[in-house]
Each structure stands twice: as structure tokens, then as C-alpha cells.
Amino acid sequence: MGGMSGPYPIRGSVSLPEAELQWRFSRSSGPGGQHVNTSDSQVELRFDLAATESLPEVWKARALERLATRLVNGVVTVRSSEHRSQWRNRETAAVRLAALLAEATAPPPKPRRPTKIPRGINERRLREKKQRSETKRTRQSRDWG
């Protein structure tokens, strides 16, 4: 199994736990030559998010909540079949899983503080509104008949 490039970092010092990844290989769908019928180049990578011990608790809770729609019994699955070689599909799947987990475990953004509109700007807006309504009122009242 040599040649797999090592740990896939999620964020900071935390990376995908190699021991907890389950790989499954099957034949890719779609067109191809004689070779494609015999090679299991599609890769399915499964990671048991609910049972993992390698993620900090906070991250795990966050990821379980955010990925709830993608999980099957607490397991997240990533498939890759765009490359013709199994090895490259493995790389792609692992990178994709790491990115997915990085996004799911990211801290929530800081709450937005509403900006205060400066008084001068507000006053100018009201002044212009008043002027505009005055203009329209004078147009209306005149009898053009």
C-alpha cells in the first residue's frame, strides 16, 4: 500500500485518522476501454464520524450537526471516480473528505454587528425625500387644462 501521501490535514494539527478510514473499491460507471471492465477504480471512502475519537468533542458535535443530512448512521461517505487510476481516486476522495470535515468543523462566524447610520446622512436623506415630495406635489396641484 506504499505511495499514499500521508496524513490529510483538516485544520491546525488535526488530520484524518488513517486507521479510521474505510476504503471500498468498485468499478467506475461510464465509458472506457477493455481495461475499465476489470479494474476497480471507483473509490468509496467511509469515515465513522459518530464513533471517532480523533476529533475534538466540539468539532465532532459541530460536524454531526452540520452534516446531518449526509450521514448514514453517523458515517460520512465520499465517492470518487473521475480519475482512471484507483490511486488518484483515493487521493481525491481523501482530500475531499478532509475538506468536507474542515468546513463542517469550522467555528461559526462572528455575529454581525449592525452598523449605525450617521445622523448627517439620515438627515440629508429625509431632506431630499421632503424636497422630492414637494416637487411632486407642486406638479400635481397645477391645472394644465
Side-chain angles (χ1 to χ4, degrees):
M1 181 163 123
M4 281 292 287
S5 49
Y8 298 92
I10 297 174
R11 207 172 52 253
S13 59
V14 181
S15 56
L16 275 183
E18 205 66 56
E20 293 179 32
L21 300 179
Q22 297 165 332
W23 299 91
R24 232 173 77 200
F25 309 103
S26 55
R27 293 183 188 150
S28 290
S29 61
Q34 292 90 331
H35 172 70
V36 82
N37 306 323
T38 56
S39 66
D40 292 345
S41 61
Q42 176 173 295
V43 170
E44 189 179 279
L45 174 56
R46 297 161 60 91
F47 176 61
D48 195 341
L49 187 56
T52 186
E53 295 293 316
S54 55
L55 292 181
E57 272 311 308
V58 187
W59 286 25
K60 191 164 135 181
R62 220 180 270 156
L64 283 169
E65 189 183 324
R66 290 194 188 153
L67 297 174
T69 54
R70 278 198 66 156
L71 297 176
V72 180
N73 300 332
V75 176
V76 65
T77 307
V78 175
R79 262 196 204 91
S80 172
S81 61
E82 50 271 20
H83 302 296
R84 284 173 64 180
S85 90
Q86 186 193 96
W87 187 80
R88 284 183 61 197
N89 279 330
R90 288 177 73 140
E91 289 283 288
T92 310
V95 168
R96 215 179 276 163
L97 180 62
L100 186 71
L101 288 175
E103 201 176 309
T105 57
K110 287 200 176 98
R112 181 185 166 274
R113 278 182 43 208
T115 52
K116 197 168 170 353
I117 298 170
R119 217 174 86 204
I121 288 177
N122 211 16
E123 283 173 1
R124 189 179 76 204
R125 182 180 65 85
L126 292 173
R127 215 175 25 252
E128 285 170 358
K129 268 179 81 145
K130 204 167 273 174
Q131 214 169 6
R132 186 94 187 119
S133 78
E134 188 59 36
T135 305
K136 289 189 168 192
R137 210 169 54 75
T138 55
R139 282 184 194 155
Q140 211 177 56
S141 65
R142 197 165 285 130
D143 187 22
W144 296 107

